[in-house]
Amino acid sequence: MLALALCAVSSSQLRAANWFEKNFWLSGPRYDRTVPSCDYPPALDRIIANFRTKEFRFWNSELRIVGVENIQQTDFLPWAAQSIPRRFCSGVAVINDGGRTPIYYSIAEDTGMIGMDWGVNFCVVGLDRNWAYNPACRAARP
């Protein structure tokens, strides 16, 4: 009897969610629009640590960011009112090999670990080896 009931349920046609399913307890995201500033030390530390991990683990490289200079905000909330609040920033990354290269990053609300805190996405021009933000980190900017 149970097998017959499971077969009947699994063979029924898929339907879109009804009004009750779409509106009960699904109120949507509630953003506070509290995003750290571009020079927030924990955000920069996260960028430095993630860059080091990426270079060492995936590219077998000893390159590290040793500092970020000329930090400035390029935009804040550049899109529609209901989109995720983001602060777009730029600066100059000082690399341990003596090089200086532009860096673009964004700090966004609720995009960190399991959506509990802010998250950071970044791109270092010339060191975007997997071309995730190509060309020249254009996709990391607003």
Side-chain angles (χ1 to χ4, degrees):
M1 198 66 150
L2 180 61
L4 182 62
L6 287 175
C7 288
V9 169
S10 66
S11 66
S12 64
Q13 290 182 349
L14 297 177
R15 306 181 334 256
N18 63 29
W19 178 88
F20 183 74
E21 292 170 326
K22 289 192 287 187
N23 291 305
F24 189 74
W25 293 105
L26 300 175
S27 60
R30 286 194 164 88
Y31 295 115
D32 298 329
R33 295 188 178 178
T34 54
V35 181
S37 65
C38 291
D39 58 353
Y40 186 55
L44 296 174
D45 291 343
R46 194 176 290 183
I47 290 171
I48 290 168
N50 290 349
F51 180 81
R52 171 71 180 120
T53 300
K54 179 186 70 139
E55 286 294 312
F56 182 76
R57 185 179 297 166
F58 300 109
W59 302 107
N60 196 22
S61 167
E62 292 296 325
L63 292 178
R64 291 185 310 274
I65 296 175
V66 294
V68 181
E69 301 174 339
N70 301 330
I71 297 170
Q72 52 190 309
Q73 178 177 309
T74 56
D75 208 345
F76 183 66
L77 297 173
W79 300 305
Q82 296 302 318
S83 59
I84 297 172
R86 296 176 195 270
R87 184 180 309 277
F88 287 90
C89 310
S90 65
V92 176
V94 180
I95 311 297
N96 65 336
D97 67 352
R100 296 182 187 292
T101 184
I103 182 171
Y104 300 98
Y105 59 98
S106 63
I107 306 171
E109 184 177 344
D110 296 342
T111 59
M113 179 70 78
I114 64 171
M116 288 180 47
D117 66 347
W118 50 270
V120 177
N121 290 322
F122 68 94
C123 180
V124 180
V125 176
L127 294 172
D128 183 24
R129 301 174 195 266
N130 61 344
W131 295 356
Y133 297 99
N134 243 2
C137 295
R138 185 171 149 200
R141 300 180 223 167

